[in-house]
Amino acid sequence: MVLFVLCIKAELDGVESLSLLKNTNLCFSVRNPLSDYETREKIVFNPSETLEQDEGDREPPHHFAVRWEGQKKFSTLIVLDEDGAKSAFKKMKKKGGKKKGGGEGDVPRDMTADDSGEYVPVLAMECRGVEPYEFYPLGNEFKVTSSGGAVFEEDVDLSEGDWGDYDEENDEAVGVNEFESKIIAV
């Protein structure tokens, strides 16, 4: 099992927090860690739904599965909830796992105004035989809370790298600019 973390970075303007929604479709490209040419581009799954399994399956519930060429078993990806991520990070620390600098190897959380311009972990994935290497925003995966407390959950589309709106209650522009993501192995 390898733990991968999706980290995001953006310049926040009038934004208190940027959060990854738990019940939305996410799009990743994955590859076989044992082969350079076996990939699956832009797979989509919902972290709040696990795949149906046959009775007697020994695999834990998972969000994505692929059987690579020549393999007998499925390779799986499991999105960890908050408790699962904390537990996995605790186990990694005990085993002396790699610790990334700058908070990237920390437990996933919301990005805040203080994090503007820094990579922040937002999603942890436990992977067996599969390696996520690219994240593609589809639109509507993120929730933005303005400095004034207004919440924007619909039409927060970061697929072009920028998003903006207007907080009428507090008479201020809000924006997420220069959005970037990366996936790190912890």
Side-chain angles (χ1 to χ4, degrees):
M1 169 206 68
V2 179
L3 196 61
F4 288 92
V5 178
L6 170 65
C7 298
I8 61 171
K9 174 173 119 172
E11 294 297 328
L12 304 179
D13 183 27
V15 172
E16 180 60 34
S17 70
L18 176 64
S19 312
L20 185 67
L21 296 172
K22 308 291 184 234
N23 59 348
T24 187
N25 286 337
L26 300 176
C27 182
F28 288 88
S29 286
V30 297
R31 64 180 155 228
N32 181 345
L34 303 175
S35 167
D36 291 339
Y37 67 92
E38 283 188 292
T39 62
R40 297 295 186 274
E41 299 291 323
K42 297 186 176 179
I43 58 133
V44 176
F45 59 87
N46 187 323
S48 64
E49 301 169 4
T50 56
L51 297 178
E52 280 189 33
Q53 293 179 271
D54 295 330
E55 257 185 65
D57 265 356
R58 291 189 298 194
E59 294 291 326
H62 48 270
H63 300 94
F64 173 76
V66 62
R67 186 174 299 171
W68 300 112
E69 188 177 316
Q71 299 295 315
K72 293 178 184 169
K73 292 176 64 177
F74 279 99
S75 296
T76 59
L77 182 150
I78 301 169
V79 175
L80 299 175
D81 60 14
E82 190 174 337
D83 291 338
K86 284 179 183 174
S87 174
F89 277 93
K90 199 176 200 178
K91 286 179 190 172
M92 296 297 279
K93 262 188 190 171
K94 282 184 181 175
K95 289 183 180 178
K98 295 183 257 180
K99 177 74 171 155
K100 303 290 181 189
E104 294 167 12
D106 291 339
V107 175
R109 61 183 176 83
D110 294 345
M111 181 179 209
T112 65
D114 294 338
D115 298 317
S116 189
E118 301 289 328
Y119 277 104
V120 173
V122 294
L123 182 75
M125 299 169 279
E126 182 180 290
C127 300
R128 298 174 198 274
V130 65
E131 182 178 310
Y133 65 90
E134 188 74 42
F135 170 69
Y136 303 94
L138 299 171
N140 294 330
E141 302 92 340
F142 292 96
K143 174 177 82 172
V144 172
T145 305
S146 75
S147 301
V151 176
F152 300 88
E153 280 191 58
E154 294 180 17
D155 301 323
V156 178
D157 185 356
L158 294 171
S159 61
E160 300 293 321
D162 297 310
W163 171 86
D165 210 322
Y166 187 72
D167 178 357
E168 292 178 16
E169 272 183 43
N170 299 294
D171 193 31
E172 71 176 346
V174 292
V176 178
N177 302 299
E178 300 175 32
F179 178 83
E180 295 177 29
S181 65
K182 68 178 180 179
I183 300 170
I184 58 170
V186 180

